[in-house]
Amino acid sequence: MGTAPPSSSLTQELDPLDDSITRNNRRKAVQFKASHALLIIFFLWILALHALGIYFFTKGFLLTRQVLNHKSDCASPPIVLPRASPRSYGAGCWYPKTFDKAVVIIIDALRYDFTVPTNDTTHHFHNALDVLHETAVQQPETAFLLPFIADAPTATLQRLKGLTTGTLPAFVDVGSNFAGTAIEEDNLVAQLRDAAKTLVHLGDDTWHSLFPGHFDPNLTHAYDSFNVWDLHTVDNGVTEHLLPLLHSEAKHWDVIFGHYLGVDHAGHRYGPDHIAMNEKLKQMDRTLRDIIAALDDKTLLIVMGDHGMDTKGDHGGESDDEVEAALWMYSKKAIFGHGHNSLLEPPRTAKERRVSQIDLVPTLALLLGLPIPFNNLGSPISEAFVGPKKPDWEKLASVNALCAAQIQRYQHAYSAARGLDNEVFSAANILWTVALEMWQGAKQKTAPNAESLAAFVRYQAENLRVCRSLWASFDVPSMIYGILVLGCTLAILGYYARATTPFRAEDSPLFVRLIAIYAAMGLALGLSFRLTGISLGTLDISLLGTAGGSIVGFAYTILEIPSGYPLPAPNTTLGWLSLLLTVLQAIGFASNSFTIWEDEILLMFLATFGFMSLAASIRQPGIKDRVLGMIQSSVFLVCTRIASLSRLCREEQMPYCRSTYYSSATSSTSAFWQLVIPFALAILLPSFVKGYYKGTRSYVGSAVLWIGVGLRMSLLASAIYWFLDAADDNNWISVNEDILRLVKTSIAQLVLGISLVAGTTYYIWATPCISIETPSEQKNGNADTKQPKKPKNMAVFGYSNMHGSRYFFLVTNYLMAIILLQKPMGGGSIGLLTLQILALLEIIDCNNLSRSAIGPIILAMLGNFHFFKTGHQATLSSIQWETAFIALKTIRYPWSPFLVILNTYGAQIITAVAVPLTVLWKQPPKKKGLLGDVAMAVGTFLLYHAAVNLATTMWAGWLRRHLMLYRIFSPRFMTGAVALLVVDLVGIVVAVGGFRWNVVSVSEVFGWA
């Protein structure tokens, strides 16, 4: 019987071994995927706790106002005047009406200094809109111009609420600026409708969200308000429909509201100091002159800004430029005057003779013969009632008495609804009694005089002060609940991510199971407390019970694990540095100066790390690690310093800061030299990344296509986009604007499609960045060719960085999208961030810090640092809303908010995606425990952001009575809260989720570890 050939015998021997390897790989793959899924669930729980803590704190911190549903009635004036009130809409309800009709023009973002002529011709916004000041000076009996001061937040929706109700806004309302809900409390528009007036609205469609069904559908024309790239459609549409209504002999309207948006959009797109703003203001000047010419003497014309704009053309906060709008009233009959102060010319600056925007409500109501809306807190504007010649003190005192009496009526109703103690309004009530006695005494003698007028003014001012303080009342228990949840979550993350014993994937089922069981127990306990009559609502007590139970479940899990998780403590110098920097930053948020200069503080922290990593690298025993660590530390320091040159100053930093992000401090466009940056990025950045890949011989296979071609072409397309955008802004190319806009949006959509859609697909299916080569076979002199050949030697290029080189594709995907969505200076900052990330990864490898907290912490700090370097600040006005239109022509949900988030938090998103690299860079393909290492790294990264959020939350709550609360501390809290939720979501879905595909791809080649 013959023997089997050698190859056949070898095959028979290897088959059982192959089957065993295959079964073992399948078992490990199932274990990994199950542990990975449980890890995702665990981090989703952390996200839920963060969202819950922010919800409870926000619920108690961001102020709300109790709205009364009372309405003022025409037949029920709050006080009896010396001359009987007509009590009819025809003659006037509480006071004889002055006008039958009104045209109310809102020029969005009309800042007061835009209307005042000056000898300074260096700014484009000066001496362009002259008609308001001109008529106020030449015809003081028919027109007046005054600074019109808005209450923060200076967002259009909140301003319209104040301008029609006469109430103060609640800060929480700013979140609804893009989704206005109908105003249900008493307001001017509702009073006009109740008086059977025909109302017409033209322009900004926000009015229709606030007052649905109030305007004549046949005469009304609303336009989309959020396309800040479009300067002309809304304005041209308003004028096109407004002038024919004014010229029509049969005027089938009573009040027209025309809301122009071009000035606001010019500010957002270009900034106030741009030729486009000059042209837009001149257009408004011509339009207003046409409107004036078409008026009759029974019609009142009001022109006003709902808010101003800052030096970059943005708004939302409470800086002087944002709150100082303009108000101009005009009538063909001489009824206005200045006898109460003898100042005939308009104020030269907005710091003189200011009137509050809520003062328009009683003024317009009395001029049109309407009841003053019930919730109004404003006062009549004196210029509208004092008379054209000798001051009519009786008229002034009478209208102020009516207004004060209505405020007193509101005060009683509000106190009853809130159950307020009498002491709250005690000082205001005393002033009311004094004013009433003086007014009644003056009536009996001759007529109300200046003294009784002053008494009513003092009462109104005191009442307004009390109401402001009342609406600054916080729900402290809710705030405490939120802080406790956030604090417990911080402790959980700290223990989970930084315990001395590394996280073990096999512990995940126990964590998830016990957390779920105790969460259910907490929910049941919370609902049982609800049955006892506790003041918390069912939803709130359910959420708190579930959160509290799950936190207890985590604590119990630690006790159940046999080996346990010892308390976390750093064990290296750089590890202690990461703790120190985090704690110092958290403490620093108690200072308004620290918060204002946070960008410079982060620069110092990052530079400190750079120098310490340089020192640590010098002490490395291996010459290769020593030299490479020193070089990469130097690269990190140089990039940090260059990035610091990109700067957008906030108002509080002036005059010690000079903005460089835009072409000037008063512009929102890029300088010509800044257009070089995107092209330089397209040329240099892929080459730099290629250099890091070549260091581990990983620039092979998939890397050549994605880094060498995909990244470079995407960056080049972004550079072309921003060149075309600058050409559009400066009229460099004589191409139809619609065609140019189509080309730009097409390029943007192409880049986003390549980066986020094609890039994600490529990442999932890409093979590891390796190349396998074999040396040429040596010639064997043995003639017996049937003998088995010895295995060939193989060289696997890219083996030492297989995980890191492939995972970095995921970072480049978001890098391409976010660079597109940043202005050229911001794109340069993101490019430097990429180099800093790569340098940091090399520093971690050279100093053997893959399990240290320093990598994820510095990554998180880099994200926050470059948040400022990409043209952002912790202020509402620094949000770059125009990003929503880079790839879209109109607002489209959810894509428009998604683009704004990518722009605002782009740096934090990139660093969140890059976190797994701190443990994957230069790691062999079959290293054990990578899932646990990634979990620790992501947990540490989230730990830093959670610490920042908890600190800003606690300090905002503690300093809730601070003068700078809404200017500094509250915006920083909101910025940190949103950033935490964003990095939570990105860290879970993209970083931890993307890590799975990386492991699967590598394991398919080399087997499961």
Side-chain angles (χ1 to χ4, degrees):
M1 185 175 180
T3 59
S7 59
S8 175
S9 175
L10 182 62
T11 301
Q12 290 175 359
E13 292 175 4
L14 291 178
D15 281 345
L17 181 60
D18 288 344
D19 290 342
S20 175
I21 293 173
T22 301
R23 287 195 301 270
N24 191 44
N25 272 329
R26 287 176 180 172
R27 178 180 58 81
K28 289 181 178 180
V30 170
Q31 288 178 346
F32 170 82
K33 292 174 182 178
S35 297
H36 181 271
L38 292 172
L39 182 63
I40 292 284
I41 293 172
F42 176 83
F43 277 122
L44 286 174
W45 172 62
I46 295 293
L47 169 60
L49 288 180
H50 282 153
L52 190 62
I54 292 168
Y55 161 74
F56 275 106
F57 183 84
T58 303
K59 184 170 175 284
F61 178 70
L62 293 184
L63 308 177
T64 56
R65 174 177 56 87
Q66 183 170 349
V67 175
L68 302 183
N69 293 323
H70 301 63
K71 290 198 69 174
S72 295
D73 183 49
C74 182
S76 303
I79 197 171
V80 179
L81 297 176
R83 301 173 186 175
S85 302
R87 305 194 186 192
S88 69
Y89 288 115
C93 288
W94 296 354
Y95 197 81
K97 71 176 182 180
T98 308
F99 297 98
D100 294 326
K101 298 179 182 294
V103 177
V104 181
I105 300 297
I106 298 95
I107 300 179
D108 208 290
L110 180 63
R111 208 167 72 190
Y112 183 73
D113 61 335
F114 292 179
T115 68
V116 180
T118 176
N119 294 327
D120 180 10
T121 58
T122 58
H123 297 299
H124 291 290
F125 53 79
H126 282 152
N127 304 320
L129 179 54
D130 299 327
V131 66
L132 307 184
H133 190 274
E134 176 186 304
T135 51
V137 171
Q138 296 176 1
Q139 308 167 47
E141 295 178 349
T142 64
F144 63 86
L145 173 65
L146 294 172
F148 199 39
I149 308 304
D151 291 292
T154 48
T156 294
L157 183 142
Q158 283 68 38
R159 292 295 78 245
L160 293 183
K161 286 184 177 180
L163 288 167
T164 55
T165 63
T167 58
L168 301 175
F171 198 88
V172 71
D173 284 348
V174 75
S176 63
N177 194 45
F178 300 99
T181 55
I183 296 178
E184 297 179 354
E185 62 185 304
D186 198 7
N187 61 81
L188 274 175
V189 179
Q191 288 289 350
L192 285 165
R193 184 189 59 177
D194 292 345
K197 302 293 185 182
T198 300
L199 307 181
V200 177
H201 167 256
L202 305 170
D204 186 344
D205 60 357
T206 305
W207 288 80
H208 289 264
S209 300
L210 298 177
F211 309 105
H214 287 60
F215 303 107
D216 187 305
N218 297 319
L219 301 177
T220 293
H221 300 274
Y223 298 87
D224 178 25
S225 59
F226 290 118
N227 188 355
V228 296
W229 292 87
D230 186 350
L231 274 59
H232 306 297
T233 299
V234 177
D235 289 4
N236 293 342
V238 173
T239 303
E240 176 187 346
H241 295 99
L242 174 61
L243 292 178
L245 289 174
L246 296 178
H247 286 292
S248 173
E249 293 187 8
K251 291 183 171 60
H252 300 296
W253 56 267
D254 294 295
V255 178
I256 299 175
F257 295 94
H259 196 145
Y260 288 89
L261 293 173
V263 171
D264 179 68
H265 288 184
H268 282 300
R269 183 173 178 181
Y270 302 108
D273 196 13
H274 190 275
I275 187 62
M277 179 64 75
N278 182 272
E279 294 171 352
K280 181 53 63 176
L281 289 173
K282 286 181 176 178
Q283 179 190 2
M284 290 295 97
D285 187 84
R286 295 190 298 270
T287 300
L288 291 177
R289 293 180 188 276
D290 292 339
I291 294 173
I292 292 170
L295 286 182
D296 58 34
D297 59 3
K298 294 182 180 180
T299 303
L300 170 67
L301 174 61
I302 300 175
V303 177
M304 60 182 167
D306 55 342
H307 50 74
M309 64 176 68
D310 64 13
T311 55
K312 307 180 307 301
D314 298 318
H315 56 87
E318 56 178 344
S319 68
D320 288 348
D321 283 343
E322 292 171 272
V323 301
E324 292 172 350
L327 171 67
W328 179 78
M329 286 193 179
Y330 176 84
S331 167
K332 290 252 173 128
K333 55 184 177 183
I335 65 162
F336 301 139
H338 307 269
H340 62 297
N341 56 25
S342 301
L343 298 174
L344 298 180
E345 290 198 2
R348 299 299 303 172
T349 71
K351 303 297 185 291
E352 310 166 41
R353 291 156 53 200
R354 300 149 68 99
V355 297
S356 175
Q357 289 196 349
I358 59 176
D359 294 344
L360 177 70
V361 173
T363 303
L364 188 54
L366 295 173
L367 289 174
L368 294 177
L370 300 172
I372 298 173
F374 190 86
N375 297 333
N376 166 71
L377 295 174
S379 304
I381 298 171
S382 297
E383 281 79 356
F385 299 99
V386 71
K389 296 180 181 178
K390 185 179 179 180
D392 190 340
W393 297 116
E394 179 183 0
K395 186 176 183 179
L396 263 182
S398 297
V399 295
N400 276 276
L402 273 173
C403 187
Q406 174 53 42
I407 291 174
Q408 178 72 0
R409 180 187 282 179
Y410 169 74
Q411 174 191 312
H412 282 300
Y414 189 81
S415 297
R418 285 279 304 270
L420 299 177
D421 189 87
N422 292 333
E423 291 297 320
V424 173
F425 284 100
S426 58
N429 287 333
I430 292 172
L431 290 173
W432 166 252
T433 302
V434 171
L436 198 59
E437 290 175 352
M438 290 181 64
W439 183 66
Q440 290 173 342
K443 281 197 303 179
Q444 294 172 1
K445 293 179 182 178
T446 52
N449 53 28
E451 287 74 17
S452 57
L453 166 65
F456 283 122
V457 170
R458 285 193 296 271
Y459 163 73
Q460 293 169 56
E462 171 61 18
N463 191 85
L464 184 60
R465 185 196 66 79
V466 174
C467 287
R468 286 185 188 276
S469 64
L470 278 176
W471 296 335
S473 59
F474 301 86
D475 184 354
V476 176
S478 182
M479 294 164 60
I480 293 175
Y481 296 147
I483 290 173
L484 286 175
V485 172
L486 291 172
C488 290
T489 311
L490 180 71
I492 289 170
L493 272 174
Y495 203 87
Y496 180 84
R498 302 314 315 162
T500 306
T501 302
F503 165 75
R504 297 181 296 271
E506 58 268 23
D507 294 333
S508 295
L510 183 60
F511 274 112
V512 173
R513 187 178 76 252
L514 288 179
I515 287 171
I517 292 172
Y518 277 82
M521 293 170 60
L523 172 61
L525 184 63
L527 291 175
S528 67
F529 273 116
R530 182 72 183 96
L531 297 176
T532 64
I534 194 170
S535 59
L536 282 173
T538 302
L539 175 62
D540 287 352
I541 194 67
S542 300
L543 292 174
L544 277 177
T546 304
S550 64
I551 291 169
V552 172
F554 177 87
Y556 185 71
T557 306
I558 301 298
L559 302 177
E560 283 291 294
I561 295 175
S563 59
Y565 281 73
L567 289 174
N571 52 15
T572 64
T573 302
L574 289 176
W576 280 106
L577 176 67
S578 65
L579 176 62
L580 178 64
L581 294 181
T582 304
V583 171
L584 286 176
Q585 188 171 8
I587 295 173
F589 285 119
S591 165
N592 57 340
S593 298
F594 181 98
T595 307
I596 290 169
W597 292 98
E598 184 181 357
D599 51 347
E600 298 299 318
I601 302 295
L602 286 170
L603 171 62
M604 182 188 71
F605 284 176
L606 292 172
T608 300
F609 163 75
F611 283 112
M612 291 196 67
S613 68
L614 180 63
S617 299
I618 292 173
R619 294 195 300 270
Q620 291 302 308
I623 184 66
K624 182 179 178 182
D625 286 340
R626 188 185 314 146
V627 173
L628 185 59
M630 292 169 60
I631 291 174
Q632 296 305 324
S633 297
S634 301
V635 170
F636 185 92
L637 284 167
V638 170
C639 290
T640 302
R641 184 56 189 160
I642 295 174
S644 70
L645 300 178
S646 175
R647 190 180 299 115
L648 179 70
C649 304
R650 56 187 294 163
E651 183 190 18
E652 296 83 2
Q653 292 177 331
M654 306 302 291
Y656 307 105
C657 178
R658 186 174 68 87
S659 293
T660 59
Y661 191 76
Y662 296 109
S663 59
S664 70
T666 58
S667 174
S668 292
T669 59
S670 300
F672 179 77
W673 67 268
Q674 292 173 332
L675 298 178
V676 176
I677 295 175
F679 288 98
L681 275 180
I683 296 170
L684 299 176
L685 186 58
S687 299
F688 287 141
V689 174
K690 175 182 176 181
Y692 281 93
Y693 270 67
K694 283 194 168 183
T696 55
R697 299 191 177 185
S698 300
Y699 193 70
V700 293
S702 305
V704 176
L705 176 61
W706 198 243
I707 304 296
V709 179
L711 177 60
R712 193 181 301 277
M713 291 300 101
S714 173
L715 294 177
L716 181 60
S718 297
I720 294 171
Y721 173 90
W722 286 109
F723 177 80
L724 293 176
D725 182 73
D728 186 17
D729 289 345
N730 297 282
N731 297 319
W732 294 341
I733 305 176
S734 57
V735 178
N736 181 273
E737 186 175 342
D738 292 335
I739 295 176
L740 190 58
R741 179 73 180 141
L742 177 62
V743 173
K744 287 165 54 183
T745 54
S746 298
I747 292 173
Q749 290 171 2
L750 176 64
V751 172
L752 292 174
I754 291 174
S755 59
L756 299 181
V757 180
T760 301
T761 305
Y762 188 82
Y763 173 78
I764 290 173
W765 297 105
T767 57
C769 302
I770 57 171
S771 175
I772 301 175
E773 297 182 9
T774 59
S776 300
E777 295 182 20
Q778 297 180 355
K779 294 182 179 180
N780 194 335
N782 192 339
D784 187 4
T785 58
K786 294 182 180 181
Q787 292 183 358
K789 297 179 180 179
K790 295 181 179 180
K792 299 176 181 178
N793 294 323
M794 293 185 298
V796 182
F797 295 102
Y799 181 88
S800 63
N801 194 23
M802 194 174 303
H803 281 292
S805 60
R806 188 191 181 283
Y807 183 87
F808 192 78
F809 291 170
L810 194 58
V811 178
T812 61
N813 292 345
Y814 287 85
L815 176 70
M816 291 186 285
I818 289 168
I819 284 180
L820 167 73
L821 299 174
Q822 304 292 339
K823 295 289 179 77
M825 204 69 171
S829 172
I830 297 297
L832 291 169
L833 170 62
T834 307
L835 297 182
Q836 287 176 290
I837 291 173
L838 290 167
L840 176 63
L841 299 178
E842 295 290 350
I843 292 169
I844 291 171
D845 176 67
C846 292
N847 293 275
N848 193 26
L849 297 170
S850 62
R851 285 188 171 174
S852 171
I854 193 66
I857 295 295
I858 293 301
L859 262 184
M861 284 189 175
L862 281 171
N864 282 358
F865 176 67
H866 285 275
F867 167 82
F868 296 104
K869 301 300 113 182
T870 52
H872 300 97
Q873 285 283 351
T875 59
L876 294 174
S877 59
S878 70
I879 299 175
Q880 298 170 22
W881 300 110
E882 65 273 19
T883 307
F885 301 97
I886 287 179
L888 300 168
K889 293 181 179 180
T890 59
I891 291 287
R892 293 179 62 185
Y893 293 97
W895 307 116
S896 297
F898 175 69
L899 295 179
V900 174
I901 289 173
L902 283 180
N903 168 271
T904 306
Y905 295 102
Q908 286 100 325
I909 289 171
I910 288 176
T911 53
V913 176
V915 173
L917 285 169
T918 60
V919 297
L920 296 179
W921 194 253
K922 292 188 175 180
Q923 297 297 333
K926 298 193 70 172
K927 181 181 178 181
K928 294 185 180 296
L930 274 182
L931 180 61
D933 291 345
V934 168
M936 288 182 65
V938 173
T940 305
F941 180 84
L942 299 182
L943 178 65
Y944 169 85
H945 281 285
V948 169
N949 176 65
L950 178 61
T952 56
T953 301
M954 291 177 61
W955 292 125
W958 181 258
L959 300 170
R960 60 188 180 276
R961 300 295 179 186
H962 196 282
L963 180 64
M964 292 293 178
L965 174 66
Y966 291 123
R967 186 181 286 241
I968 296 174
F969 296 109
S970 182
R972 186 60 186 88
F973 150 68
M974 290 189 289
T975 301
V978 176
L980 177 62
L981 297 178
V982 168
V983 298
D984 273 352
L985 192 60
V986 173
I988 296 166
V989 176
V990 182
V992 180
F995 168 70
R996 168 181 171 149
W997 296 107
N998 202 72
V999 172
V1000 169
S1001 176
V1002 172
S1003 299
E1004 285 177 350
V1005 177
F1006 288 92
W1008 290 84

